[in-house]
């Protein structure tokens, strides 16, 4: 700053925002220090409220004849943004729970995961935009990219999110260079997020020494790299380790947003899990681990959803990933009134044809009416169960709770929830959005809910063309474009993703 | 039957694989009569390594690993693999810390994420890397242990911490634990570096805090986390592992934990002796048996039976734990007590159920033969004649290789196809073509009927592959989804006969599981295959022919599986590596 010039003082408007934010935060029960930090943070970010991102996986695709929104003047072969649509008029209507929140919803049709992949094993690349199908080549899923850019630590949760004896490739959805094992114990995640509420911060010495430790270990790894120079594979292995150690050090410098909660919340399902799993001995090689047992899945999922909602409400985790089950999981869904194993019985139900003209015939219109909706009702009911849980436990609370960080808005206004699957049609296993035989539009089931602080124009069906499988890749939009769009909506200006072509038109405000 | 069951069969077609990635034999599918399928000769080369990729956005660059799911069984002799740093698995690291710091056992918790699974189904893949999540979890585990260590136990562990908490006292601690954690004497440079770190830390805090962080540094050091199998150049394109590296390899391969002080001393004095003898001694211990039991748990995936449900069998949940123990006890008896081989495992006429499990086994549909009750839980009983033999007739295997509400000829057939015959892995199709389910299907009454109709009668994409392994699985059709023997499927007779072309070129005709597994047990390839799986587990590598020396003896029956596993310590790869 040139000599003689004073550092600029906050403007009168900024001071007013500071004071107004501060008073509002106090009124909502925040502590004075937290309210102060929040007020300063909001001002520092000009007029934008803190944004939250939640990525949710629903395994095994969908049944389009029960999923697709009913759109007025719909043409699946054209590119368009539709605003006149309903989510509860499509047979079982998997998305019906979202209908009351339609103004927050975008359904994306005509997208693809590029590259070949073997059925469900394509889960290993669908959130990164890459085409790697192996389990070791480095890649980064988009929520990690966003979290790193925002300098926040993402919270990755799972409910029975991989097989019992380890992280198999069908469980490798989230990546940060290497696959991430979702936190399967909601009580443990709760304690990490809320356990220190009201507690004194750690002694300063420990904070500094922890960083000193990381620097020490980094130097050891570098020393070993020098020793092993020439052993190419092991050098690369150590390079990964080095980057990881550096990331741990960087994480220690990450300042999470101030909590909007001063008291430890009471989450019923989380406490039930805590009680039931008391004394659980981790059993990575077998099936006696509470957190892998099929019978516990519904409660574990419920607990993770409760935790997600509370983490968002308290601003405790701005970026969250949630993975219930893993691809090819065969849990029986009798509990959801859909008897049968989810993968082999339900998702692999072959669609039935409607042969009443003009449907189910050669040259029929491309329409879900070509399929007999009765055939896959159990699968649709199972998939609808996921949405019902998500709406009941997450979307509805967020849509009806005032955002303490942004007066006049609801939390869902400043949140973006991205729901996806690793394939399109549960039986067809498509990774492109295609015309499924006979003449059925079959898109990847991709949905956002929320407006990301006004950055997202919601209330749309965003349609790119479907086509015959052999040409669909030429007209579909890559899912990486959605990741780019979401990143920009979250305030990340310079994110890049493999295979991206640009932001999705009509989605960013 | 209902269309859902036909679709389950179709689903298995998609799940199991249709497009061949390797050589697959040809055969004709059957309809109502016995089916036949061909098994190709096993051959093929090991896969290449992948190339390193770049991360997206701000992602980190990482290493590629080899992930070849196919074994090369045609070996002219044992080979040597490459040198590597082998990351301790979560189990191994936890065992190590428990053994090195027994004074704080139960006072800390490991919070390590799950290992990735290798292409062969094992959690100890040598290509495993330390990602950011694991690095953070290791640090947290170290902090938990270090915090416990400098609490009440410290006075006992390190008496000088009370009388003279200083640099010299920290040095005493470093000398004591450094060698156990690094599994070799620490170097002068390491000694100086760690003590300098301690001194700096103590300057910022106090003795206990500084000692805690020095402990964490040791725990998360790459010297602790990686088993070094690097060696030094010994000329002729080879590298010789050091005695300390061999001692480490022995300890983890045969006990799943760090070498004892005694073993490290023996390594230091050059008196390790014959690795195979050491391996046998270790295998006879409880930890040793647990290590080999872990191989079977992962090879068979049988322990997962406790995490699954069978909605149509109300008593299943009450006996699934017992199924695991049955198999555990059976393996202990056959492999350890009787020094048996694969043939014994497959064809034993005894098993080891609990009393409750024995009762359960007798409740299969239309079964009128009671299952013998053991004198005590998990004591040996002779199976009823005609109701299965060996490992593959046990509930833990049958239930985990079945659907939730139906048996699965595909899953059971695939186990033999892949895990006993070592056939090349097949690639599933990208999608399953729609099937006309509106036409009434007469004569489709049993699971086998549906599989034969769907997989043989469909377009060639599915039948081409399914005819090679579904017929194998038909031999198990007298066992329901819960592992119980059933005389009928609902009210229909069961056809568990079949005919397959075996890997050795012979034709196997069978009627039921006993015929099938007896014939399979006589196939030479199963011993090559088992040897390859044992080597992959022991060495953490999918490189070909590393354990080839054992095959002949294993095949002849002159050694059992435990002996074969111990003899892996005598293979060239155990003490040497090829230079890159």
């Amino acid at each position: 700053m040139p000599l003689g010039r004073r550092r600029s003082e906050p403007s009168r408007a900024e001071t007013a925002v500071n004071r107004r934010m501060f008073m509002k935060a106090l009124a909502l029960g925040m502590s004075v220090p937290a309210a102060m930090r929040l007020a300063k943070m909001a001002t520092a970010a000009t007029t934008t409220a803190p944004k939250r991102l939640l990525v949710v996986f629903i395994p095994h695709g969908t049944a389009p004849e029960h999923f697709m929104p009913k759109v007025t003047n719909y043409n699946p072969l054209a590119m368009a943004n539709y605003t006149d649509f309903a989510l509860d008029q499509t047979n079982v209507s998997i998305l019906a729970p979202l209908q009351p929140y339609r103004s927050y919803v975008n359904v994306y049709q005509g997208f693809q995961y590029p590259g070949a992949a073997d059925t469900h094993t394509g889960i290993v690349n669908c959130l990164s935009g890459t085409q790697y199908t192996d389990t070791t080549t480095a890649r980064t899923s988009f929520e990690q990219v966003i979290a790193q850019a925002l300098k926040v630590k993402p919270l990755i949760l799972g409910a029975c999110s991989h097989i019992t004896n380890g992280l198999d490739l069908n469980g490798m959805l989230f990546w940060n260079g290497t696959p991430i094992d979702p936190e399967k114990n909601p009580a443990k995640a709760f304690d990490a997020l809320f356990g220190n509420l009201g507690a004194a911060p750690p002694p300063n010495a420990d904070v500094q020494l922890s960083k000193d430790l990381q620097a020490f270990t980094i130097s050891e790894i570098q020393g070993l790299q020098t020793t092993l120079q020439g052993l190419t594979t092991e050098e690369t292995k150590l390079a990964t380790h080095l980057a990881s150690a550096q990331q741990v050090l960087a994480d220690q410098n990450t300042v999470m947003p101030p909590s909007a909660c001063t008291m430890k919340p009471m989450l019923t399902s989380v406490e039930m899990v805590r009680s039931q799993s008391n004394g659980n001995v981790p059993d990575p090689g077998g099936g006696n681990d509470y957190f892998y047992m099929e019978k516990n899945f519904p409660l574990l999922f419920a607990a993770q959803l409760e935790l997600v909602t509370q983490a968002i409400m308290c601003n405790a985790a701005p970026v969250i990933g949630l993975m219930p089950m893993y691809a090819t999981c065969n849990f029986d869904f009798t509990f959801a009134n859909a008897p049968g194993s989810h993968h082999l019985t339900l998702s692999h139900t072959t669609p039935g044809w409607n042969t009443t003209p003009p449907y189910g015939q050669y040259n029929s219109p491309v329409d879900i009416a070509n399929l007999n909706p009765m055939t896959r009702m159990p699968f649709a009911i199972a998939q609808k169960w996921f949405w019902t849980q998500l709406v009941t436990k997450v979307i509805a609370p967020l849509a009806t709770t005032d955002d303490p960080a942004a007066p006049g808005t609801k939390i869902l206004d400043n949140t973006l929830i991205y729901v996806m699957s690793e394939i399109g049609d549960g039986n067809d296993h498509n990774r492109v959005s295609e015309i499924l035989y006979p003449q059925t539009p079959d898109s990847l089931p991709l949905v956002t809910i929320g407006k990301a602080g006004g950055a997202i124009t919601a209330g749309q069906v965003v349609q790119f063309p479907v086509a015959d499988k052999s040409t669909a890749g030429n007209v579909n939009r890559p899912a990486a474009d959605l990741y780019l769009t979401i990143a920009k909506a979250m305030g990340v200006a310079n994110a890049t993703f493999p295979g991206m072509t640009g932001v999705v038109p009509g989605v960013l405000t | 039957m209902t269309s859902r069951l036909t679709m389950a069969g179709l689903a298995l077609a998609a799940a199991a694989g249709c497009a061949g990635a390797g050589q697959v034999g040809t055969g004709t599918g059957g309809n109502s009569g016995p089916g036949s399928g061909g098994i190709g000769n096993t051959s093929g080369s090991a896969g290449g390594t992948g190339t390193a990729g770049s991360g997206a956005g701000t992602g980190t660059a990482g290493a590629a690993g080899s992930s070849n799911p196919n074994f090369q069984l045609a070996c002219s002799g044992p080979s040597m693999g490459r040198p590597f740093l082998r990351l301790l698995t979560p189990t191994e690291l936890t065992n190590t810390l428990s053994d090195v710091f027994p004074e704080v056992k139960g006072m800390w918790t490991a919070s390590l994420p799950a290992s990735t699974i290798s292409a062969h189904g094992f959690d100890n893949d040598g290509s495993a890397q330390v990602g950011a999540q694991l690095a953070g979890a290791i640090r947290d585990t170290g902090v938990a242990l270090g915090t416990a260590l400098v609490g009440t136990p410290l006075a006992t562990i390190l008496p000088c911490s009370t009388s003279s908490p200083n640099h010299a006292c920290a040095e005493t601690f470093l000398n004591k634990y450094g060698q156990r954690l690094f599994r070799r004497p620490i170097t002068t440079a390491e000694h100086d570096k760690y003590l300098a770190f301690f001194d700096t830390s103590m300057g910022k805090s106090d003795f206990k805090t500084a000692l805690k962080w020095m402990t964490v540094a040791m725990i998360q050091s790459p010297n602790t986390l990686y088993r070094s199998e690097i060696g030094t150049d010994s000329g002729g394109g080879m590298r010789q592992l050091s005695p300390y590296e061999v001692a480490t390899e022995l300890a983890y391969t045969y006990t799943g934990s760090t070498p004892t002080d005694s073993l490290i001393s023996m390594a230091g004095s050059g008196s390790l002796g014959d690795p195979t003898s050491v391996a046998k001694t270790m295998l006879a211990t409880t930890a040793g048996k647990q290590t080999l039991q872990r191989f079977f748990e992962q090879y068979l995936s049988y322990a997962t039976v406790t995490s699954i449900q069978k909605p149509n069998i109300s008593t299943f949940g009450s006996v699934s734990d017992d199924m695991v123990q049955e198999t555990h006890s059976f393996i202990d008896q056959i492999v350890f007590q009787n020094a048996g081989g694969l043939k014994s495992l497959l064809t034993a006429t005894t098993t080891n159920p609990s009393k409750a499990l024995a009762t359960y086994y007798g409740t299969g549909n239309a079964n009128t033969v009671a299952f013998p009750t053991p004198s005590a839980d998990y004591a040996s009983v002779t199976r009823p004649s005609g109701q299965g033999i060996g490992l593959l007739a046990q509930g833990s295997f049958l239930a985990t290789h079945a659907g939730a509400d139906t048996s699965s000829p595909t899953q059971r057939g695939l186990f033999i196809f892949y895990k006993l015959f070592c056939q090349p892995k097949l690639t599933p199709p990208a999608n399953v073509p729609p099937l006309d389910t509106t036409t009434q299907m007469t004569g489709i009454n049993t699971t086998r009927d549906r599989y034969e109709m769907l997989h043989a009668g469909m377009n060639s994409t599915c039948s081409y592959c399914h005819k090679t392994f579904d017929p194998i699985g038909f031999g198990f059709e007298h066992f329901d989804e819960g592992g119980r023997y059933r005389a009928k499927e609902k009210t229909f007779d069961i056809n568990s006969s079949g005919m397959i072309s075996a890997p050795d070129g012979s034709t196997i005709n069978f009627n039921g599981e006993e015929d099938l597994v007896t014939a399979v047990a006589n196939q030479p390839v199963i011993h090559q295959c088992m040897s390859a799986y044992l080597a992959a587990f022991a060495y953490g590598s999918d490189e070909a022919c590393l354990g080839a020396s054992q095959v002949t003896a294993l095949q002849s029956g002159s050694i059992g599986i435990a002996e074969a596993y111990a003899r892996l310590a005598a293979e060239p790869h155990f003490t040497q590596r090829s230079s890159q």
Side-chain angles (χ1 to χ4, degrees), chain B residues 510-537:
Chain B
F510 60 88
N511 188 1
E513 188 261 2
E514 296 181 23
D515 268 2
L516 172 65
V517 297
T518 300
V520 167
N522 285 325
Q523 287 291 309
V525 72
I526 69 169
H527 305 286
Q528 291 174 289
C529 191
M530 171 57 71
S531 175
Y533 272 101
L534 282 171
F537 178 77

Side-chain angles (χ1 to χ4, degrees), chain A residues 213-283:
Chain A
L213 160 77
Q214 268 326 104
F216 182 86
T217 301
I218 287 168
S219 73
E220 277 201 300
I221 299 169
Q222 289 168 330
L224 192 55
Q225 279 185 307
T226 304
T227 305
L228 295 185
Q229 209 160 6
L231 288 175
T232 312
T233 307
E234 303 318 289
E235 280 185 282
T236 313
K237 189 181 285 184
L238 287 173
T240 302
H241 191 171
L242 178 65
S244 301
Q246 290 167 334
Q247 182 64 52
V248 171
L249 181 59
D251 284 349
Q252 292 179 50
N253 291 323
T254 297
V255 177
M256 293 299 280
S259 175
C261 302
T262 54
M263 287 172 47
K264 198 181 291 188
M266 174 60 184
L267 302 182
T268 308
S269 296
V270 172
E271 295 310 313
M272 282 178 66
V273 169
R274 189 192 302 278
S275 170
Q276 290 181 11
S277 65
N278 185 30
N280 180 60
V281 176
D283 186 11

Side-chain angles (χ1 to χ4, degrees), chain B residues 205-396:
Chain B
S205 59
D206 53 61
F207 176 82
K208 285 188 178 181
T209 303
L211 192 71
K212 175 181 90 174
W213 288 109
M214 188 177 79
T215 304
V216 182
M218 290 159 64
I219 288 171
Q220 70 173 33
S221 168
N223 297 300
T224 298
L225 299 180
Y226 295 107
R227 298 160 48 178
S228 174
E229 296 180 9
I230 299 293
T232 52
D233 193 342
S234 56
M238 297 204 307
R239 301 181 71 87
Q240 185 72 37
L241 299 195
S242 73
Y244 294 112
E245 289 175 313
V246 174
T248 297
E249 205 180 349
L250 281 167
Y252 283 104
T253 304
Y254 298 104
T255 70
S257 189
T258 192
T260 59
D261 278 327
S262 164
L263 194 65
I264 294 175
S265 293
M266 288 164 65
S269 62
S271 56
L272 263 181
D274 171 36
T276 306
S277 298
V278 176
K280 286 183 188 177
T281 303
M282 288 175 163
L283 260 186
T285 64
T286 302
K289 290 180 183 177
Q290 280 176 355
T291 303
L292 195 51
Q293 286 277 11
R294 197 158 59 242
F295 163 79
F296 283 105
E297 283 176 11
Q298 297 182 24
Y299 171 71
L300 291 160
S301 299
Y302 74 83
T304 59
V305 71
T306 59
S307 68
I308 61 177
Q309 301 194 96
K310 303 291 178 181
N312 296 336
I313 307 177
S314 60
T315 50
F316 177 80
S318 66
V319 296
S320 56
D321 282 352
D322 295 12
M323 288 180 177
V324 173
Q325 191 56 44
E326 175 191 24
T327 301
H328 197 274
S329 301
F330 176 78
I331 290 170
D332 185 70
Q333 180 176 327
I334 300 292
V335 172
F336 292 110
Q337 295 178 38
N338 299 348
L342 189 51
K343 190 169 182 176
S344 300
L345 278 176
L346 292 175
T347 59
T349 57
T350 61
T351 189
N352 302 67
S354 64
K355 293 179 182 179
L357 184 56
T359 303
Y360 167 85
Y361 280 148
T363 61
N365 186 48
N367 180 29
T368 57
V369 177
F371 204 92
T373 303
S375 57
D377 284 343
Y378 312 114
S380 181
V381 297
T382 301
R383 303 183 66 96
S385 176
Q387 291 199 9
I389 55 175
L391 191 57
L392 302 188
Q394 295 188 349
S396 65

